[in-house]
Amino acid sequence: MGLLERFGFSRRTAREKFVSSNPFDLDAPLLHFSETDAWRIRDACEGLQIFGGTGSGKTSGSGQAVARAFLAQGFGGLVLTAKKDERQLWETYAQEAGRGEQVLVFSASEKWRFNFLNYETNRPGAGASQTENLVKLFSSVMEIAERKQPSGSGDSYWQRAMKQLLRNAIDLLIAARGKVSLPDLYEIIRSAPLSVEQSNDENWQKNSLCFQLIVEGDAKPKDSMRQHDFEMAARYWLSEFPNLAEKTRSIIVSTFTGMADGFLRGTLRELFCTSMNFAPDLSSEGAIILLDFPIKEYGELGQLAQVLFKYIWQQAMERRDTAANHRPVFLWADESQYFITAYDREFQSTARSSRACTVYLTQNLPNYYAELGGEKNKAEADAFLGNLQTKIFHANGDHTTNSWAADLFAKSWQLRGNTHTGYSAGGASAGQGASESLEYDVLPQQFSTLRKGGPDNNFAVEALIFQGGRVWSATGKTFIRTFFNQG
């Protein structure tokens, strides 16, 4: 029995409608941007960024065309949501593609549960890297929360201190109980000693989970590596942590507890910290996992929950054996500025070999700069976008984005005609000439005049498309102009 069947999904529908002799051939075309220019699975695996101002048609135009192409080809995927109507939109896409049975909606109103720590500590291959994988997972989520803090706690010192705290809490739990849970991590940190004197106080020892786990861990048989890690953790909690400056310690603790608090109560606790009846790996078998925690409804908690799941999904897709299962998968995020993390750049650098297609949609470039922490992290956004090889530009009034796009399309030597008039003792004379100048192939202001669809434009959305390393057959240039139908 396959993975889909074990979790109650039908494999038959997808096979009957979508499986051909080789439906996942990397050179299979997904879309045609001209009669001679196809966009293939291979191109999709190199990543896609779609830009367009509000009302430009980026979602209903190129976004819709790409989403429907992925579904028609049998891709599995993960859909992140910022707006409340995105669930209905994707359910409609899937139903019309004959893929309705393969949509897994993860939300408070559905039956699905995903205990992420249980998954991470028990999945194949967790082993020796278990602690560090969990540290990276929590760090990815806390990165989102810390961007909004004016205190500068996202600086490298605080990041290292937070990772040290997490590493020692996780190692202590593994040594003492062999498993990790978020409530226990929370309680270890909450009950840790605030001074060396307190660590020697019998009353504190009696009531502190942190101390109780040190006692339990000390009594458990361990191999030499685990023994070393346990001793490092015990030394940290009984000596190093209580000797930290009070302000330093409080910032580190509140950073973690502030993030964990939302997962320890209400909807997120029920969904992420209880049982588990599905896993991100289902995308490899054709499931379309939709995270129905729209940010416009759930706020920061919805954002943190989706970033957490996204990170685990990305890692699962990187681990999969594409030689045995070469079905492409996609990661989809409209309003993508809310979901981008530092790990996205690392993931995208190997996404092609994982057959993972990242599709991010946002209004403009400053959205990324603002969400990543302003000008100081501008290079991080630019580096990530450099790894998304296809870029689609719709109508936009943002000067930064339009100038960036014009630079991307490059410049060429263009012949400019001129006339001149001269005066001499013999009278006036006139002439004509020409000169070469290096000019934009597409001027920045042209992006603001692209057609936005709707009834005024016969529901056709105009776009300019760039793909790294490609000269388009229809234009002989690094860009191509095309239209997408709405609806």
Side-chain angles (χ1 to χ4, degrees), residues 168-202:
N168 284 288
I170 292 166
D171 278 343
L172 181 58
L173 266 174
I174 291 173
R177 298 185 175 174
K179 61 181 181 179
V180 181
S181 74
L182 192 58
D184 284 345
L185 285 176
Y186 186 97
E187 187 59 22
I188 287 173
I189 295 168
R190 192 201 65 80
S191 67
L194 303 180
S195 67
V196 174
E197 291 75 21
Q198 186 180 41
S199 68
N200 293 309
D201 181 78
E202 290 185 3

PDB file of all heavy atoms in Angstrom, residues 168-202:
ATOM      1  N   ASN A 168      20.798  22.864  24.147  1.00  0.00           N
ATOM      2  CA  ASN A 168      20.959  22.252  25.464  1.00  0.00           C
ATOM      3  C   ASN A 168      19.637  21.770  26.052  1.00  0.00           C
ATOM      4  O   ASN A 168      19.600  20.768  26.766  1.00  0.00           O
ATOM      5  CB  ASN A 168      21.649  23.235  26.413  1.00  0.00           C
ATOM      6  CG  ASN A 168      23.134  23.343  26.136  1.00  0.00           C
ATOM      7  OD1 ASN A 168      23.895  22.435  26.428  1.00  0.00           O
ATOM      8  ND2 ASN A 168      23.556  24.462  25.550  1.00  0.00           N
ATOM      9  N   ALA A 169      18.542  22.441  25.740  1.00  0.00           N
ATOM     10  CA  ALA A 169      17.237  21.958  26.193  1.00  0.00           C
ATOM     11  C   ALA A 169      16.857  20.661  25.476  1.00  0.00           C
ATOM     12  O   ALA A 169      16.357  19.713  26.089  1.00  0.00           O
ATOM     13  CB  ALA A 169      16.175  23.026  25.949  1.00  0.00           C
ATOM     14  N   ILE A 170      17.117  20.599  24.195  1.00  0.00           N
ATOM     15  CA  ILE A 170      16.788  19.395  23.416  1.00  0.00           C
ATOM     16  C   ILE A 170      17.656  18.220  23.850  1.00  0.00           C
ATOM     17  O   ILE A 170      17.162  17.101  24.056  1.00  0.00           O
ATOM     18  CB  ILE A 170      16.950  19.687  21.911  1.00  0.00           C
ATOM     19  CG1 ILE A 170      15.882  20.678  21.442  1.00  0.00           C
ATOM     20  CG2 ILE A 170      16.870  18.400  21.097  1.00  0.00           C
ATOM     21  CD1 ILE A 170      16.148  21.287  20.084  1.00  0.00           C
ATOM     22  N   ASP A 171      18.952  18.449  23.993  1.00  0.00           N
ATOM     23  CA  ASP A 171      19.842  17.365  24.420  1.00  0.00           C
ATOM     24  C   ASP A 171      19.472  16.841  25.799  1.00  0.00           C
ATOM     25  O   ASP A 171      19.572  15.635  26.061  1.00  0.00           O
ATOM     26  CB  ASP A 171      21.296  17.845  24.420  1.00  0.00           C
ATOM     27  CG  ASP A 171      21.927  17.803  23.037  1.00  0.00           C
ATOM     28  OD1 ASP A 171      21.357  17.119  22.157  1.00  0.00           O
ATOM     29  OD2 ASP A 171      22.971  18.435  22.837  1.00  0.00           O
ATOM     30  N   LEU A 172      19.043  17.732  26.686  1.00  0.00           N
ATOM     31  CA  LEU A 172      18.636  17.299  28.022  1.00  0.00           C
ATOM     32  C   LEU A 172      17.410  16.400  27.951  1.00  0.00           C
ATOM     33  O   LEU A 172      17.344  15.348  28.599  1.00  0.00           O
ATOM     34  CB  LEU A 172      18.357  18.520  28.902  1.00  0.00           C
ATOM     35  CG  LEU A 172      17.936  18.243  30.350  1.00  0.00           C
ATOM     36  CD1 LEU A 172      18.985  17.428  31.076  1.00  0.00           C
ATOM     37  CD2 LEU A 172      17.664  19.558  31.082  1.00  0.00           C
ATOM     38  N   LEU A 173      16.441  16.773  27.140  1.00  0.00           N
ATOM     39  CA  LEU A 173      15.227  15.961  26.996  1.00  0.00           C
ATOM     40  C   LEU A 173      15.525  14.608  26.367  1.00  0.00           C
ATOM     41  O   LEU A 173      15.000  13.579  26.800  1.00  0.00           O
ATOM     42  CB  LEU A 173      14.194  16.707  26.149  1.00  0.00           C
ATOM     43  CG  LEU A 173      13.153  17.528  26.894  1.00  0.00           C
ATOM     44  CD1 LEU A 173      12.293  18.311  25.912  1.00  0.00           C
ATOM     45  CD2 LEU A 173      12.267  16.633  27.757  1.00  0.00           C
ATOM     46  N   ILE A 174      16.353  14.590  25.345  1.00  0.00           N
ATOM     47  CA  ILE A 174      16.677  13.330  24.672  1.00  0.00           C
ATOM     48  C   ILE A 174      17.413  12.393  25.633  1.00  0.00           C
ATOM     49  O   ILE A 174      17.122  11.192  25.705  1.00  0.00           O
ATOM     50  CB  ILE A 174      17.519  13.585  23.412  1.00  0.00           C
ATOM     51  CG1 ILE A 174      16.670  14.288  22.343  1.00  0.00           C
ATOM     52  CG2 ILE A 174      18.082  12.280  22.851  1.00  0.00           C
ATOM     53  CD1 ILE A 174      17.440  14.735  21.133  1.00  0.00           C
ATOM     54  N   ALA A 175      18.340  12.944  26.410  1.00  0.00           N
ATOM     55  CA  ALA A 175      19.096  12.116  27.351  1.00  0.00           C
ATOM     56  C   ALA A 175      18.198  11.555  28.448  1.00  0.00           C
ATOM     57  O   ALA A 175      18.344  10.403  28.866  1.00  0.00           O
ATOM     58  CB  ALA A 175      20.231  12.934  27.962  1.00  0.00           C
ATOM     59  N   ALA A 176      17.241  12.359  28.914  1.00  0.00           N
ATOM     60  CA  ALA A 176      16.415  11.938  30.045  1.00  0.00           C
ATOM     61  C   ALA A 176      15.227  11.083  29.633  1.00  0.00           C
ATOM     62  O   ALA A 176      14.900  10.098  30.295  1.00  0.00           O
ATOM     63  CB  ALA A 176      15.925  13.168  30.813  1.00  0.00           C
ATOM     64  N   ARG A 177      14.570  11.458  28.524  1.00  0.00           N
ATOM     65  CA  ARG A 177      13.306  10.803  28.177  1.00  0.00           C
ATOM     66  C   ARG A 177      13.258  10.242  26.764  1.00  0.00           C
ATOM     67  O   ARG A 177      12.273   9.610  26.386  1.00  0.00           O
ATOM     68  CB  ARG A 177      12.143  11.777  28.413  1.00  0.00           C
ATOM     69  CG  ARG A 177      12.038  12.173  29.889  1.00  0.00           C
ATOM     70  CD  ARG A 177      10.853  13.023  30.198  1.00  0.00           C
ATOM     71  NE  ARG A 177      10.767  13.244  31.636  1.00  0.00           N
ATOM     72  CZ  ARG A 177       9.876  14.053  32.221  1.00  0.00           C
ATOM     73  NH1 ARG A 177       9.004  14.728  31.479  1.00  0.00           N
ATOM     74  NH2 ARG A 177       9.861  14.197  33.542  1.00  0.00           N
ATOM     75  N   GLY A 178      14.257  10.514  25.968  1.00  0.00           N
ATOM     76  CA  GLY A 178      14.324   9.933  24.641  1.00  0.00           C
ATOM     77  C   GLY A 178      13.370  10.533  23.642  1.00  0.00           C
ATOM     78  O   GLY A 178      13.228  10.019  22.527  1.00  0.00           O
ATOM     79  N   LYS A 179      12.694  11.608  23.986  1.00  0.00           N
ATOM     80  CA  LYS A 179      11.768  12.265  23.062  1.00  0.00           C
ATOM     81  C   LYS A 179      11.691  13.745  23.412  1.00  0.00           C
ATOM     82  O   LYS A 179      12.066  14.165  24.515  1.00  0.00           O
ATOM     83  CB  LYS A 179      10.381  11.629  23.119  1.00  0.00           C
ATOM     84  CG  LYS A 179       9.712  11.713  24.483  1.00  0.00           C
ATOM     85  CD  LYS A 179       8.343  11.046  24.464  1.00  0.00           C
ATOM     86  CE  LYS A 179       7.660  11.150  25.829  1.00  0.00           C
ATOM     87  NZ  LYS A 179       6.318  10.537  25.823  1.00  0.00           N
ATOM     88  N   VAL A 180      11.190  14.511  22.469  1.00  0.00           N
ATOM     89  CA  VAL A 180      11.125  15.959  22.633  1.00  0.00           C
ATOM     90  C   VAL A 180       9.685  16.416  22.443  1.00  0.00           C
ATOM     91  O   VAL A 180       9.028  16.010  21.484  1.00  0.00           O
ATOM     92  CB  VAL A 180      12.026  16.680  21.604  1.00  0.00           C
ATOM     93  CG1 VAL A 180      11.974  18.188  21.796  1.00  0.00           C
ATOM     94  CG2 VAL A 180      13.459  16.180  21.711  1.00  0.00           C
ATOM     95  N   SER A 181       9.204  17.249  23.356  1.00  0.00           N
ATOM     96  CA  SER A 181       7.878  17.855  23.198  1.00  0.00           C
ATOM     97  C   SER A 181       7.994  19.342  23.488  1.00  0.00           C
ATOM     98  O   SER A 181       8.849  19.780  24.267  1.00  0.00           O
ATOM     99  CB  SER A 181       6.853  17.221  24.150  1.00  0.00           C
ATOM    100  OG  SER A 181       7.069  17.647  25.487  1.00  0.00           O
ATOM    101  N   LEU A 182       7.138  20.121  22.847  1.00  0.00           N
ATOM    102  CA  LEU A 182       7.186  21.567  23.034  1.00  0.00           C
ATOM    103  C   LEU A 182       6.847  21.967  24.469  1.00  0.00           C
ATOM    104  O   LEU A 182       7.525  22.840  25.035  1.00  0.00           O
ATOM    105  CB  LEU A 182       6.252  22.251  22.031  1.00  0.00           C
ATOM    106  CG  LEU A 182       6.409  23.764  21.902  1.00  0.00           C
ATOM    107  CD1 LEU A 182       7.829  24.141  21.503  1.00  0.00           C
ATOM    108  CD2 LEU A 182       5.411  24.321  20.883  1.00  0.00           C
ATOM    109  N   PRO A 183       5.831  21.375  25.109  1.00  0.00           N
ATOM    110  CA  PRO A 183       5.574  21.735  26.515  1.00  0.00           C
ATOM    111  C   PRO A 183       6.774  21.489  27.420  1.00  0.00           C
ATOM    112  O   PRO A 183       7.065  22.292  28.311  1.00  0.00           O
ATOM    113  CB  PRO A 183       4.388  20.844  26.897  1.00  0.00           C
ATOM    114  CG  PRO A 183       3.689  20.562  25.614  1.00  0.00           C
ATOM    115  CD  PRO A 183       4.783  20.462  24.603  1.00  0.00           C
ATOM    116  N   ASP A 184       7.494  20.385  27.191  1.00  0.00           N
ATOM    117  CA  ASP A 184       8.667  20.101  28.018  1.00  0.00           C
ATOM    118  C   ASP A 184       9.790  21.095  27.753  1.00  0.00           C
ATOM    119  O   ASP A 184      10.480  21.532  28.692  1.00  0.00           O
ATOM    120  CB  ASP A 184       9.155  18.671  27.784  1.00  0.00           C
ATOM    121  CG  ASP A 184       8.278  17.636  28.471  1.00  0.00           C
ATOM    122  OD1 ASP A 184       7.485  18.020  29.352  1.00  0.00           O
ATOM    123  OD2 ASP A 184       8.383  16.446  28.108  1.00  0.00           O
ATOM    124  N   LEU A 185      10.010  21.452  26.494  1.00  0.00           N
ATOM    125  CA  LEU A 185      11.022  22.463  26.184  1.00  0.00           C
ATOM    126  C   LEU A 185      10.686  23.782  26.876  1.00  0.00           C
ATOM    127  O   LEU A 185      11.562  24.443  27.458  1.00  0.00           O
ATOM    128  CB  LEU A 185      11.113  22.683  24.671  1.00  0.00           C
ATOM    129  CG  LEU A 185      11.803  21.612  23.840  1.00  0.00           C
ATOM    130  CD1 LEU A 185      11.696  21.958  22.356  1.00  0.00           C
ATOM    131  CD2 LEU A 185      13.264  21.459  24.241  1.00  0.00           C
ATOM    132  N   TYR A 186       9.439  24.153  26.792  1.00  0.00           N
ATOM    133  CA  TYR A 186       8.976  25.390  27.423  1.00  0.00           C
ATOM    134  C   TYR A 186       9.228  25.359  28.921  1.00  0.00           C
ATOM    135  O   TYR A 186       9.723  26.324  29.517  1.00  0.00           O
ATOM    136  CB  TYR A 186       7.485  25.577  27.118  1.00  0.00           C
ATOM    137  CG  TYR A 186       6.887  26.883  27.580  1.00  0.00           C
ATOM    138  CD1 TYR A 186       6.759  27.948  26.707  1.00  0.00           C
ATOM    139  CD2 TYR A 186       6.426  27.052  28.885  1.00  0.00           C
ATOM    140  CE1 TYR A 186       6.194  29.160  27.121  1.00  0.00           C
ATOM    141  CE2 TYR A 186       5.866  28.245  29.314  1.00  0.00           C
ATOM    142  CZ  TYR A 186       5.761  29.289  28.424  1.00  0.00           C
ATOM    143  OH  TYR A 186       5.205  30.481  28.832  1.00  0.00           O
ATOM    144  N   GLU A 187       8.896  24.231  29.548  1.00  0.00           N
ATOM    145  CA  GLU A 187       9.015  24.128  30.998  1.00  0.00           C
ATOM    146  C   GLU A 187      10.471  24.052  31.454  1.00  0.00           C
ATOM    147  O   GLU A 187      10.821  24.573  32.517  1.00  0.00           O
ATOM    148  CB  GLU A 187       8.241  22.914  31.503  1.00  0.00           C
ATOM    149  CG  GLU A 187       8.158  22.793  33.024  1.00  0.00           C
ATOM    150  CD  GLU A 187       7.487  23.993  33.681  1.00  0.00           C
ATOM    151  OE1 GLU A 187       6.726  24.719  33.003  1.00  0.00           O
ATOM    152  OE2 GLU A 187       7.734  24.196  34.889  1.00  0.00           O
ATOM    153  N   ILE A 188      11.336  23.402  30.685  1.00  0.00           N
ATOM    154  CA  ILE A 188      12.762  23.396  31.015  1.00  0.00           C
ATOM    155  C   ILE A 188      13.286  24.823  31.112  1.00  0.00           C
ATOM    156  O   ILE A 188      13.953  25.211  32.080  1.00  0.00           O
ATOM    157  CB  ILE A 188      13.572  22.623  29.951  1.00  0.00           C
ATOM    158  CG1 ILE A 188      13.345  21.124  30.063  1.00  0.00           C
ATOM    159  CG2 ILE A 188      15.073  22.910  30.098  1.00  0.00           C
ATOM    160  CD1 ILE A 188      13.977  20.339  28.931  1.00  0.00           C
ATOM    161  N   ILE A 189      12.974  25.600  30.093  1.00  0.00           N
ATOM    162  CA  ILE A 189      13.477  26.978  30.040  1.00  0.00           C
ATOM    163  C   ILE A 189      12.837  27.834  31.122  1.00  0.00           C
ATOM    164  O   ILE A 189      13.508  28.636  31.782  1.00  0.00           O
ATOM    165  CB  ILE A 189      13.229  27.552  28.628  1.00  0.00           C
ATOM    166  CG1 ILE A 189      14.068  26.767  27.612  1.00  0.00           C
ATOM    167  CG2 ILE A 189      13.542  29.035  28.561  1.00  0.00           C
ATOM    168  CD1 ILE A 189      13.705  27.025  26.169  1.00  0.00           C
ATOM    169  N   ARG A 190      11.539  27.642  31.340  1.00  0.00           N
ATOM    170  CA  ARG A 190      10.859  28.428  32.375  1.00  0.00           C
ATOM    171  C   ARG A 190      11.365  28.107  33.778  1.00  0.00           C
ATOM    172  O   ARG A 190      11.432  28.974  34.649  1.00  0.00           O
ATOM    173  CB  ARG A 190       9.353  28.165  32.294  1.00  0.00           C
ATOM    174  CG  ARG A 190       8.499  29.134  33.115  1.00  0.00           C
ATOM    175  CD  ARG A 190       7.142  28.563  33.429  1.00  0.00           C
ATOM    176  NE  ARG A 190       7.233  27.388  34.301  1.00  0.00           N
ATOM    177  CZ  ARG A 190       7.409  27.465  35.625  1.00  0.00           C
ATOM    178  NH1 ARG A 190       7.555  28.634  36.222  1.00  0.00           N
ATOM    179  NH2 ARG A 190       7.476  26.368  36.345  1.00  0.00           N
ATOM    180  N   SER A 191      11.738  26.832  34.023  1.00  0.00           N
ATOM    181  CA  SER A 191      12.123  26.414  35.378  1.00  0.00           C
ATOM    182  C   SER A 191      13.633  26.378  35.593  1.00  0.00           C
ATOM    183  O   SER A 191      14.109  25.895  36.616  1.00  0.00           O
ATOM    184  CB  SER A 191      11.555  25.018  35.659  1.00  0.00           C
ATOM    185  OG  SER A 191      12.167  24.036  34.827  1.00  0.00           O
ATOM    186  N   ALA A 192      14.389  26.887  34.632  1.00  0.00           N
ATOM    187  CA  ALA A 192      15.852  26.891  34.774  1.00  0.00           C
ATOM    188  C   ALA A 192      16.275  27.860  35.885  1.00  0.00           C
ATOM    189  O   ALA A 192      15.590  28.850  36.160  1.00  0.00           O
ATOM    190  CB  ALA A 192      16.493  27.287  33.450  1.00  0.00           C
ATOM    191  N   PRO A 193      17.408  27.593  36.534  1.00  0.00           N
ATOM    192  CA  PRO A 193      17.844  28.446  37.647  1.00  0.00           C
ATOM    193  C   PRO A 193      18.282  29.829  37.171  1.00  0.00           C
ATOM    194  O   PRO A 193      18.896  29.967  36.117  1.00  0.00           O
ATOM    195  CB  PRO A 193      19.026  27.674  38.236  1.00  0.00           C
ATOM    196  CG  PRO A 193      19.572  26.885  37.091  1.00  0.00           C
ATOM    197  CD  PRO A 193      18.371  26.490  36.281  1.00  0.00           C
ATOM    198  N   LEU A 194      17.975  30.834  37.975  1.00  0.00           N
ATOM    199  CA  LEU A 194      18.329  32.209  37.642  1.00  0.00           C
ATOM    200  C   LEU A 194      19.630  32.640  38.303  1.00  0.00           C
ATOM    201  O   LEU A 194      20.114  33.747  38.058  1.00  0.00           O
ATOM    202  CB  LEU A 194      17.187  33.152  38.058  1.00  0.00           C
ATOM    203  CG  LEU A 194      15.818  32.841  37.437  1.00  0.00           C
ATOM    204  CD1 LEU A 194      14.777  33.828  37.918  1.00  0.00           C
ATOM    205  CD2 LEU A 194      15.894  32.836  35.920  1.00  0.00           C
ATOM    206  N   SER A 195      20.169  31.764  39.146  1.00  0.00           N
ATOM    207  CA  SER A 195      21.458  32.038  39.777  1.00  0.00           C
ATOM    208  C   SER A 195      22.075  30.707  40.196  1.00  0.00           C
ATOM    209  O   SER A 195      21.376  29.695  40.340  1.00  0.00           O
ATOM    210  CB  SER A 195      21.285  32.947  40.994  1.00  0.00           C
ATOM    211  OG  SER A 195      20.566  32.268  42.013  1.00  0.00           O
ATOM    212  N   VAL A 196      23.387  30.700  40.429  1.00  0.00           N
ATOM    213  CA  VAL A 196      24.052  29.489  40.895  1.00  0.00           C
ATOM    214  C   VAL A 196      23.539  29.110  42.278  1.00  0.00           C
ATOM    215  O   VAL A 196      23.374  27.926  42.596  1.00  0.00           O
ATOM    216  CB  VAL A 196      25.581  29.695  40.906  1.00  0.00           C
ATOM    217  CG1 VAL A 196      26.282  28.489  41.538  1.00  0.00           C
ATOM    218  CG2 VAL A 196      26.098  29.948  39.502  1.00  0.00           C
ATOM    219  N   GLU A 197      23.245  30.129  43.090  1.00  0.00           N
ATOM    220  CA  GLU A 197      22.709  29.860  44.425  1.00  0.00           C
ATOM    221  C   GLU A 197      21.374  29.127  44.333  1.00  0.00           C
ATOM    222  O   GLU A 197      21.124  28.181  45.097  1.00  0.00           O
ATOM    223  CB  GLU A 197      22.546  31.167  45.204  1.00  0.00           C
ATOM    224  CG  GLU A 197      23.844  31.857  45.603  1.00  0.00           C
ATOM    225  CD  GLU A 197      24.520  32.540  44.418  1.00  0.00           C
ATOM    226  OE1 GLU A 197      23.824  32.831  43.417  1.00  0.00           O
ATOM    227  OE2 GLU A 197      25.746  32.761  44.497  1.00  0.00           O
ATOM    228  N   GLN A 198      20.525  29.549  43.404  1.00  0.00           N
ATOM    229  CA  GLN A 198      19.221  28.889  43.262  1.00  0.00           C
ATOM    230  C   GLN A 198      19.381  27.448  42.807  1.00  0.00           C
ATOM    231  O   GLN A 198      18.621  26.568  43.226  1.00  0.00           O
ATOM    232  CB  GLN A 198      18.344  29.652  42.269  1.00  0.00           C
ATOM    233  CG  GLN A 198      16.917  29.105  42.186  1.00  0.00           C
ATOM    234  CD  GLN A 198      16.061  29.879  41.203  1.00  0.00           C
ATOM    235  OE1 GLN A 198      16.516  30.250  40.130  1.00  0.00           O
ATOM    236  NE2 GLN A 198      14.802  30.122  41.588  1.00  0.00           N
ATOM    237  N   SER A 199      20.380  27.172  41.959  1.00  0.00           N
ATOM    238  CA  SER A 199      20.563  25.807  41.479  1.00  0.00           C
ATOM    239  C   SER A 199      20.917  24.847  42.606  1.00  0.00           C
ATOM    240  O   SER A 199      20.738  23.635  42.465  1.00  0.00           O
ATOM    241  CB  SER A 199      21.658  25.776  40.400  1.00  0.00           C
ATOM    242  OG  SER A 199      22.927  26.066  40.955  1.00  0.00           O
ATOM    243  N   ASN A 200      21.421  25.380  43.723  1.00  0.00           N
ATOM    244  CA  ASN A 200      21.746  24.548  44.886  1.00  0.00           C
ATOM    245  C   ASN A 200      20.637  24.536  45.935  1.00  0.00           C
ATOM    246  O   ASN A 200      20.784  23.881  46.973  1.00  0.00           O
ATOM    247  CB  ASN A 200      23.048  25.038  45.535  1.00  0.00           C
ATOM    248  CG  ASN A 200      24.247  24.810  44.633  1.00  0.00           C
ATOM    249  OD1 ASN A 200      24.449  23.700  44.145  1.00  0.00           O
ATOM    250  ND2 ASN A 200      25.035  25.860  44.400  1.00  0.00           N
ATOM    251  N   ASP A 201      19.549  25.246  45.671  1.00  0.00           N
ATOM    252  CA  ASP A 201      18.447  25.329  46.623  1.00  0.00           C
ATOM    253  C   ASP A 201      17.550  24.097  46.498  1.00  0.00           C
ATOM    254  O   ASP A 201      17.070  23.771  45.408  1.00  0.00           O
ATOM    255  CB  ASP A 201      17.634  26.605  46.355  1.00  0.00           C
ATOM    256  CG  ASP A 201      16.483  26.765  47.314  1.00  0.00           C
ATOM    257  OD1 ASP A 201      16.717  27.168  48.461  1.00  0.00           O
ATOM    258  OD2 ASP A 201      15.338  26.448  46.894  1.00  0.00           O
ATOM    259  N   GLU A 202      17.324  23.393  47.603  1.00  0.00           N
ATOM    260  CA  GLU A 202      16.545  22.154  47.579  1.00  0.00           C
ATOM    261  C   GLU A 202      15.104  22.396  47.148  1.00  0.00           C
ATOM    262  O   GLU A 202      14.502  21.555  46.467  1.00  0.00           O
ATOM    263  CB  GLU A 202      16.583  21.490  48.950  1.00  0.00           C
ATOM    264  CG  GLU A 202      17.945  20.910  49.307  1.00  0.00           C
ATOM    265  CD  GLU A 202      17.907  20.161  50.621  1.00  0.00           C
ATOM    266  OE1 GLU A 202      16.811  20.049  51.214  1.00  0.00           O
ATOM    267  OE2 GLU A 202      18.969  19.672  51.045  1.00  0.00           O
TER     268      GLU A 202
END
